[in-house]
């Protein structure tokens, strides 16, 4: 039943618009049945938390139910961090940012080192960026990089959050490090080109956009990059 719920939600975007509500309820019911059979299934409880937080109220969404399942996750060995993460999200949605930060800190503390802990950081960084809380996003992105110094993805995350915040001068070094460490990834180069552009570094921006067009011609952003190459060429010394 847990795997059925996972399968339904992982393919829900392939369902037609009119069928999504029905599919979501089937996924929810699969998770509920899984927990009837084994209340200790943390994965099913996480799935229910995401359902209750993401669904509109008319379709069964409920912060109260999400909170109840999050609090139960705190008692399931190995899943405590997810309980704290969901509670942090609920507090944020209710405008209780200090309480949310306290919960996400507990999520980070209780998560396993590596990918799980990174996912706790990323959840909060994404949420604070979405709500325009750039100082918070930058602070947690810095903590993420300090947690795993030299991690290229974390360099990119900090560079991206700084760029989103308008801190272009500080973003450059982190985006350059990410570009050099992940040359096969398009996004570090794209953001770096934009950042050079914002700083008025015409030659650097022209070179970065040109490289983007050459290396990532199939990327949907390549058309915009090509336009900037032509525009910036007029301003080259």
């Amino acid at each position: 039943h847990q795997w059925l719920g996972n399968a339904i939600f992982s393919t829900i975007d392939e369902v037609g618009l009119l069928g999504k509500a029905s599919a979501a309820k089937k996924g929810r019911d699969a998770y509920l049945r899984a927990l009837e059979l084994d209340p200790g299934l943390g994965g099913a409880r996480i799935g229910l938390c995401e359902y209750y937080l993401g669904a509109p109220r008319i379709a069964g969404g409920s912060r109260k139910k999400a909170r109840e399942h999050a609090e139960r996750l705190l008692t399931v060995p190995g899943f405590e961090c997810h309980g704290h993460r969901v509670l942090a999200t609920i507090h944020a949605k209710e405008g209780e940012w200090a309480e949310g930060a306290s919960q996400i800190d507990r999520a980070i503390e209780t998560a396993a080192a590596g990918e799980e802990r990174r996912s706790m950081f990323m959840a909060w960084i994404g949420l604070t960026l979405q709500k325009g809380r750039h100082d918070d996003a930058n602070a947690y992105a810095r903590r993420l990089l300090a947690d795993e110094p030299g991690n290229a993805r974390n360099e990119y995350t900090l560079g991206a959050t700084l760029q989103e915040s308008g801190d272009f001068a500080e973003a450059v070094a982190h985006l350059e490090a990410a570009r050099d460490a992940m040359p096969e990834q398009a996004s570090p180069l794209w953001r770096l080109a934009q950042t050079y552009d914002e700083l008025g570094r015409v030659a650097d921006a022209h070179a970065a956009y040109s490289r983007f067009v050459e290396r990532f011609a199939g990327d949907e952003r390549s058309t915009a990059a090509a336009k900037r190459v032509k525009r910036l060429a007029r301003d080259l010394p």
Side-chain angles (χ1 to χ4, degrees), residues 86-207:
V86 173
L87 290 173
T89 302
I90 294 170
H91 281 302
K93 286 180 176 290
E94 295 176 351
E96 299 167 350
W97 289 98
E99 293 86 346
S102 177
Q103 285 293 339
I104 206 65
D105 286 345
R106 289 290 295 134
I108 292 166
E109 290 169 10
T110 54
E115 201 58 37
E116 184 173 72
R117 187 154 63 206
R118 184 175 191 277
S119 71
M120 300 298 121
F121 275 109
M122 292 301 296
W124 194 246
I125 292 167
L127 184 57
T128 50
L129 272 181
Q130 180 186 1
K131 297 298 184 181
R133 298 180 66 87
H134 295 114
D135 288 346
D136 290 341
N138 292 335
Y140 277 84
R142 290 190 177 94
R143 284 178 55 185
L144 173 61
L145 182 57
D147 191 59
E148 290 186 89
N151 183 305
R153 290 188 300 162
N154 297 345
E155 289 278 9
Y156 172 71
T157 296
L158 178 53
T161 59
L162 290 167
Q163 184 210 24
E164 293 284 344
S165 305
D167 295 333
F168 303 114
E170 187 181 353
V172 166
H174 299 290
L175 291 173
E176 288 177 339
R179 173 204 60 191
D180 294 343
M182 301 186 293
E184 74 288 353
Q185 297 294 319
S187 290
L189 180 57
W190 171 253
R191 284 188 178 273
L192 181 59
Q194 289 182 309
T195 302
Y196 286 146
D197 214 349
E198 290 286 350
L199 290 169
R201 292 172 56 172
V202 176
D204 289 330
H206 181 271

